[in-house]
Amino acid sequence: MSSPEPVAPPLRRRGERMRRAVLAAAVDLLSSQGLAGATVGAVARAAGVHETSVYRRWGTRENLILDALTTELDAALPVPDTGRVRDDLLAFFSALARLLVTAQGRALLRLSVEQDDTLEDRRGPYWSERLDRAVLMVRRGVERGELAADTDPGLLIEAVSGPLFVRVLLSGAPLDEVLVRGLVDLALDGARPR
Amino acid sequence: MSSPEPVAPPLRRRGERMRRAVLAAAVDLLSSQGLAGATVGAVARAAGVHETSVYRRWGTRENLILDALTTELDAALPVPDTGRVRDDLLAFFSALARLLVTAQGRALLRLSVEQDDTLEDRRGPYWSERLDRAVLMVRRGVERGELAADTDPGLLIEAVSGPLFVRVLLSGAPLDEVLVRGLVDLALDGARPR
């Protein structure tokens, strides 16, 4: 821990450290103050860097915000590979549920449905792209013969994730392990008697 | 058609006609201009009635808006009873999908996730209450033995409706009959081989 890290040249390391500080500040501001509060100036101040450095690296406020959201979510939502489709789905969607009930996750989701012309084009597919990574778990389940060959992987992911998003955005009902398990088992086994 | 209707006294009839005109104007304004545009004054003008009449009947703008949404949606979303759970679910969720892709339905849903302190308390459960009526279809399926006895009716309704809401609010992906059928069959049969 106390030994020097000789791998990256100092300038490069400083660049990456600056990037992480700026993205963390952006996520904090988005979470606490919403889209309107996450100006380039405010993010730069919170991260302790020059505003011009932010513009030099990201070009636009839009790019900065999307980079912050993407980095945050991809780190919080790894796609597991346990060898069993049910365990994979439970792990993935439990992590999604835990993310969505944090103040930060709630803010990120709310941000995604806010009307804002400056982000119009790229926010639409944002969550879809995150969830697209999850279809891998279903495909592996099909390959192992755990799921029917004609399973639609994207549809299964939507059927489990949809209610989680809706509870945060619309109903305000709680997100917990019981809910996630119920949704995963319904998507796997169906409601008809087996 | 041309004969007089002797049933309701004239004053009562006028009251109901006034109510329908005001609610229709409210839905039109909500759809075209969002929550901010649906002021009591604007609704009254569009319906051709006095603003004081609107306040006398509904008391607050909040009550007017919720009455308009409830009346609109309940009429557009009857709960079918065909004797077969799959047919009931297909009919109900196809109607929901058709409603959600109209400009009006899209506006109603977007309205529900808008941040607005004046409606905070009662909008949350609004869609949940609409969907609560749908659990009847699942309960009847359980009683007929079409579904497993331990089926959670509310969870099944959430699993089918969730992706429809999310497509409108987040992904922008299309809502069609193929999607509805896929979601209903997944919830009934599951993805595991049968």
Side-chain angles (χ1 to χ4, degrees), chain A residues 99-110:
Chain A
L99 176 74
L100 288 176
V101 295
T102 61
Q104 194 179 76
R106 210 172 281 270
L108 296 185
L109 183 54
R110 188 149 288 287

Side-chain angles (χ1 to χ4, degrees), chain B residues 122-141:
Chain B
R122 295 175 55 194
R123 278 186 311 170
Y126 171 72
W127 286 91
S128 313
E129 283 168 17
R130 300 282 80 62
L131 293 177
D132 275 352
R133 298 155 56 242
V135 302
L136 255 180
M137 299 180 289
V138 182
R139 292 221 177 90
R140 287 194 212 110

Side-chain angles (χ1 to χ4, degrees), chain B residues 65-85:
Chain B
I65 288 175
L66 285 169
D67 194 8
L69 294 180
T70 309
T71 304
E72 178 72 11
L73 250 92
D74 287 353
L77 278 183
V79 176
D81 186 8
T82 64
R84 293 173 58 92
V85 69

Side-chain angles (χ1 to χ4, degrees), chain A residues 110 113 115 124 148 158 167 191, chain B residues 110 113 115 148 158 167 170 191:
Chain A
R110 188 149 288 287
V113 298
Q115 299 278 27
E158 283 189 79
R167 285 198 175 201
Chain B
R110 187 150 287 286
V113 298
Q115 299 279 28
E158 283 188 79
R167 285 198 174 201
L170 276 174

Side-chain angles (χ1 to χ4, degrees), chain B residues 71-161:
Chain B
T71 304
E72 178 72 11
L73 250 92
D74 287 353
L77 278 183
V79 176
D81 186 8
T82 64
R84 293 173 58 92
V85 69
R86 182 171 184 269
D87 292 337
D88 284 355
L89 294 172
L90 287 178
F92 181 85
F93 288 109
S94 297
L96 178 61
R98 280 194 302 270
L99 176 73
L100 289 175
V101 295
T102 61
Q104 194 178 75
R106 210 172 280 269
L108 296 185
L109 182 55
R110 187 150 287 286
L111 186 73
S112 307
V113 298
E114 264 178 35
Q115 299 279 28
D116 187 298
D117 289 343
T118 64
L119 295 172
E120 194 72 52
D121 294 332
R122 295 175 55 194
R123 278 186 311 170
Y126 171 72
W127 286 91
S128 313
E129 283 168 17
R130 300 282 80 62
L131 293 177
D132 275 352
R133 298 155 56 242
V135 302
L136 255 180
M137 299 180 289
V138 182
R139 292 221 177 90
R140 287 194 212 110
V142 172
E143 282 162 20
R144 285 188 299 259
E146 292 183 273
L147 304 181
D150 64 352
T151 300
D152 180 336
L155 195 74
L156 193 150
I157 298 299
E158 283 188 79
V160 182
S161 61

Side-chain angles (χ1 to χ4, degrees), chain A residues 16-36:
Chain A
E16 186 52 30
R17 197 148 54 206
M18 177 272 217
R19 175 174 178 270
R20 281 202 302 265
V22 169
L23 294 183
V27 168
D28 280 352
L29 279 166
L30 286 168
S31 303
S32 61
Q33 306 191 28
L35 191 53

